[in-house]
Amino acid sequence: MALIKWSDSFSVNVVEIDKQHQKLVGMINDLDDAMRQGKGKDVLGKIVNGLISYTGTHFKTEERYFDQFGYPEANSHKKEHSDFVAKVSEFKDGFEKGKIGLTIKVMDFLSDWLQNHIKGVDKKYGPFFNDKGLK
Ligand code: FEO
């Protein structure tokens, strides 16, 4: 069963970004499935790397629009992104060195962070972007 179920409550009302968020939700669900199926470190590592890489692409997309439109809450939003990247990089290093396992606790952290972030700060820029013509 999927860890996160996409619904309209996640929509920021910008098609490109909703698609990216859907992809991120899908990747977290894939990672959760693989973890629960007891897949090996190599398989999990590849999914984690893919997730980190796509998260970076996604954050860059949002931040490019922040800069382009002069979004007033850009700095605090970017800080949330960089804090998350730092935390996940720390996890990745520990995972690769065999110090940290991929557990339900880790999955809950990723899942909670993404859902809270999208429904909290991401949704806030929706109307601002829409006013600038981005839909
Ligand atoms: Fe969709 Fe701010 O990350």
Side-chain angles (χ1 to χ4, degrees):
M1 204 179 85
L3 184 63
I4 312 173
K5 196 170 172 349
W6 179 270
S7 76
D8 283 347
S9 65
F10 286 101
S11 176
V12 298
N13 208 30
V14 175
V15 174
E16 179 188 6
I17 295 176
D18 280 348
K19 278 189 188 157
Q20 291 188 350
H21 285 154
Q22 279 171 337
K23 183 160 173 169
L24 284 173
V25 164
M27 291 175 103
I28 287 187
N29 286 337
D30 287 348
L31 185 58
D32 188 60
D33 284 344
M35 187 254 320
R36 285 170 196 275
Q37 286 164 18
K39 298 281 187 195
K41 201 178 156 198
D42 288 356
V43 173
L44 295 176
K46 273 188 193 148
I47 304 176
V48 168
N49 283 334
L51 180 62
I52 289 173
S53 162
Y54 194 70
T55 302
T57 302
H58 168 63
F59 288 168
K60 276 190 197 129
T61 302
E62 289 185 356
E63 293 178 10
R64 198 178 63 239
Y65 288 128
F66 293 164
D67 295 343
Q68 187 179 331
F69 300 139
Y71 182 53
E73 292 183 49
N75 286 346
S76 56
H77 196 138
K78 285 180 182 175
K79 171 94 169 48
E80 282 210 15
H81 287 171
S82 59
D83 286 352
F84 181 71
V85 168
K87 180 103 186 163
V88 173
S89 301
E90 202 181 286
F91 161 71
K92 183 182 170 244
D93 285 349
F95 179 72
E96 282 173 350
K97 287 176 186 148
K99 288 184 190 159
I100 301 172
L102 186 61
T103 59
I104 290 171
K105 200 174 145 203
V106 172
M107 288 312 309
D108 281 346
F109 166 75
L110 293 174
S111 158
D112 289 349
W113 188 90
L114 186 68
Q115 294 185 73
N116 291 333
H117 183 81
I118 294 175
K119 289 184 177 178
V121 292
D122 280 357
K123 276 183 88 104
K124 275 197 196 169
Y125 62 58
F128 182 84
F129 284 4
N130 292 162
D131 279 349
K132 301 287 178 191
L134 187 70
K135 292 184 177 165

